[in-house]
């Protein structure tokens, strides 16, 4: 028994040492590749250099005679465009981009798409991403809705085959690949010209102007592109496409296309053009940072063909900025203009996701591709582009200041949430420091605790997304192992503030402050337990010995997760899912059914066995229990009679954190303070009850 106890003690101390060196301040999606793994995937004659200090990319070189030339860069899509997939988890793709912006290769590192896990299998996914090889970022890459034998040029787009029954997933993959590659190309390949790609402007949401049709036209906010048949015929003059359009030749003065373009996600433009109901529908569909571009047209030719599929990339219209195409996709929205003038017109609104890096301060170049066919069996395609440049007036966007590349703007943006959290933490710390006052009245303590747990779940968890977890620890360990900086931690201010509070509370009180008061999933479990009691479900309380053995499980889980970072990094992403925090708090149960079933099962278990996951299985709680050994105070008041012979607090402790001798196991205490309330209650505390009884005066009444 002594050897076993010594082994457990040593194991705990080793884990505590590891965790103390790897305290994280925020959760972050991060890449998992190492240089050794990449060298196996891209062997000689290619040479993989050390990871870039400023950007998470690996330069790739090749020896050419006596000269070492740059081939391109390797990077993971999740480091640049962590776009959630169908399951709510971002896909991670390994992208190899050459120095000219051409794709060398795209490979799947990890994915959680249900259709490729449980349905079609991964073979169609690997076949899909292989189509990027040889394509260039300077081409507008679109997913074809019709099957093709190979990539083909059509209407200004390069088409790649989609995957039947996985339309949404492959669109997300395409957006992830292109958004990540564009960011690398702008930073490393000079595709952004002389501009800093990190210093893009933001559309101002606080500018609300009412603009009439004349003002919109005068400022170029509803900008026209008008083409007559003669204009189009002139563009084809001297090419193989000249004279192929009989109608254009016969009626040169007639209208070919009359288009109007507007940046409708700019509040002043959108509200002035669209009616109130349409503006509301558009706003609801846009995520923060997304852009919406409206195109209205009349005439023979429009931005989409007759066989265009709703929700797809326009097959005749290309959006570019700085010479690079940016994917825009039909939002499939039925919207109406506030003022309808002239002949009936068609209209579509296209979305550009925030990760695409569109800069509102730079011109938008819309290219209308007009294609003519020459020949019957294998017709030759001859195309001409008609370009319209659209520029937003400066008052509608804000240019970032010099520090906007850093984490500081995010803190400024979330100052209200940070202030509310800081006030709430101050209230909690004051309350815990005055435990005697708070616990003097059990009803008041219960009311305060329930209110605070509701705040933790609703505000810290579901609103502010401040759920600390084992992912914090593994993310830091991975960064330290690969020699990367920890600056990414500062990009989640809520988690940083929470970690600051947790570190202070660990030193003062131990793990209980976070696990008992500040953990959103812990709060959800506690409410589940209260619901179980209210429904009169049987409450399971394990024997002391069994409870103590089960509590060791969380240390085993912790050791497995932390160890995987060094032994099997690819498995870490799966092992951290042992925590249900992402499902229940981050994604609010909007996830594939196995994850939801697992999280719901743990909550159900808590309805029968008080905070089952927190006490027996939580690896993050185990880590905090180890770190809590630096605690300075034994802050829970005890009497000489506690445990000798009084056992009231021990039997009423739902966490079973009090030993038979009356001492507190602070590594298992969740700081609920129920025992403190009993300590001060002369109707519940046996020593106080005895003292009260001895001091009682029996009045003598005369008969």
């Amino acid at each position: 028994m002594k050897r076993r106890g010594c082994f457990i003690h040593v194991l705990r101390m080793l884990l505590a040492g590891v965790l103390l060196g790897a305290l994280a301040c925020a959760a972050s999606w991060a890449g998992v590749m190492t240089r050794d793994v990449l060298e196996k995937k891209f062997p000689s004659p290619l040479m993989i250099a050390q990871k870039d200090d400023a950007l998470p990319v690996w330069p790739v070189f090749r020896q050419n005679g006596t000269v070492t030339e740059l081939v391109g860069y390797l990077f993971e899509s999740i480091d640049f465009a962590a776009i959630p997939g169908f399951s709510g988890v971002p896909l991670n793709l390994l992208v190899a981009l050459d120095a000219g912006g051409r794709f060398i290769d795209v490979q799947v590192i990890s994915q959680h798409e249900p259709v490729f896990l449980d349905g079609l299998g991964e073979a169609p996914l690997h076949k899909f991403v292989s189509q990027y090889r040889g394509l260039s970022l300077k081409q507008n890459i679109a997913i074809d809705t019709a099957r093709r034998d190979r990539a083909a040029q059509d209407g200004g787009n390069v088409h790649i085959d989609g995957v039947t029954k996985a339309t949404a997933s492959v669109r997300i993959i395409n957006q992830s690949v292109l958004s990540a590659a564009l960011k690398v190309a702008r930073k490393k390949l000079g595709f952004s010209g002389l501009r800093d790609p990190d210093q893009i402007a933001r559309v101002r949401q606080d500018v609300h102007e009412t603009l009439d049709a004349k003002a919109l036209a005068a400022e170029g906010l509803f900008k026209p592109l008008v083409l007559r048949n003669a204009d189009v015929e002139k563009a084809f003059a001297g090419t193989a496409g000249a004279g192929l359009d009989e109608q254009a030749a016969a009626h040169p003065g007639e209208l070919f296309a009359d288009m109007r373009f507007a940046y409708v996600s700019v509040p002043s433009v959108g509200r002035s053009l669209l009616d109130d109901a349409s503006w509301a529908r558009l706003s609801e569909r846009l995520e923060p940072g997304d852009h919406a571009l409206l195109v209205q047209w009349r005439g023979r030719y429009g931005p989409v063909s007759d066989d265009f599929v709703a929700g797809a990339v326009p097959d005749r219209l290309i959006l570019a900025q700085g010479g690079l195409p940016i994917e825009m996709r039909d939002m499939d929205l039925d919207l109406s203009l506030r003022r309808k003038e002239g002949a009936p017109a068609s209209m579509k609104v296209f979305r550009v996701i925030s990760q695409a890096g569109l800069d509102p301060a730079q011109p938008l170049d819309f290219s209308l591709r007009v294609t003519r066919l020459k020949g019957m069996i294998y017709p030759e395609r001859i195309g001409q582009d008609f370009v319209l440049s659209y520029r937003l007036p400066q008052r509608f966007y804000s240019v970032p200041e010099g520090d906007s590349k850093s984490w500081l703007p995010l803190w400024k943006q979330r100052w209200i949430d940070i202030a509310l959290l800081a006030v709430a933490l101050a209230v909690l710390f004051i309350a815990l420091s005055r435990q005697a006052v708070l616990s003097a009245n059990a009803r008041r303590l219960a009311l305060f605790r329930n209110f605070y747990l509701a705040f933790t779940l609703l505000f810290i968890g579901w609103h502010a997304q401040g759920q600390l977890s084992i992912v914090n620890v593994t993310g830091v360990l991975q960064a330290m192992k690969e020699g990367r900086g920890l600056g990414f931690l500062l990009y989640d201010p809520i988690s940083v503030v929470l970690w600051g509070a947790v570190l202070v509370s660990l030193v003062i009180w131990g793990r209980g402050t976070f696990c008992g008061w500040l953990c959103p999933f812990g709060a959800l479990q506690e409410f589940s337990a209260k619901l179980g009691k209210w429904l009169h479900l049987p409450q399971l309380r394990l024997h002391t010995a069994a409870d103590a053995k089960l509590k060791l499980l969380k240390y085993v889980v912790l050791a497995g997760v932390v160890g995987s970072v060094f032994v099997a990094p690819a498995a870490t992403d799966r092992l951290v899912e042992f925590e249900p925090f992402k499902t229940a708090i981050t994604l609010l149960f909007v996830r594939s059914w196995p994850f939801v079933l697992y999280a719901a099962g743990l909550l159900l278990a808590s309805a029968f066995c008080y905070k089952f996951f927190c006490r027996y299985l939580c690896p993050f709680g185990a880590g905090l229990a180890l770190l809590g050994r630096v605690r300075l105070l034994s802050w829970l008041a005890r009497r000489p009679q506690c445990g000798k012979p009084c056992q009231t607090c021990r039997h009423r402790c739902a966490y079973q954190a009090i030993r038979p001798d009356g001492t507190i196991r602070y590594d298992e205490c969740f700081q609920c303070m129920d025992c403190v309330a009993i300590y001060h209650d002369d109707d519940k505390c046996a020593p106080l009850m005895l003292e009260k009884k001895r001091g009682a005066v029996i009045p003598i009444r005369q008969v």
Side-chain angles (χ1 to χ4, degrees), residues 444-514:
R444 181 174 59 198
L445 172 62
L447 185 64
F448 177 79
R449 181 164 175 77
N450 288 333
F451 175 81
Y452 206 95
L453 289 177
F455 172 82
T456 295
L457 176 61
L458 299 175
F459 178 80
I460 297 179
W462 287 335
H463 170 72
Q465 291 291 292
Q467 173 72 69
L468 304 185
S469 79
I470 195 64
V471 177
N472 305 141
V473 178
T474 57
V476 170
L477 288 175
Q478 287 170 339
M480 294 172 64
K481 177 184 168 220
E482 297 169 15
R484 291 187 275 124
L486 300 181
F488 69 91
L489 301 173
L490 296 172
Y491 285 83
D492 188 351
I494 297 298
S495 295
V496 171
V497 174
L498 277 173
W499 263 112
V502 169
L503 292 177
V504 172
S505 66
L506 281 173
V507 175
I508 301 174
W509 296 298
R511 71 173 284 198
T513 306
F514 174 78

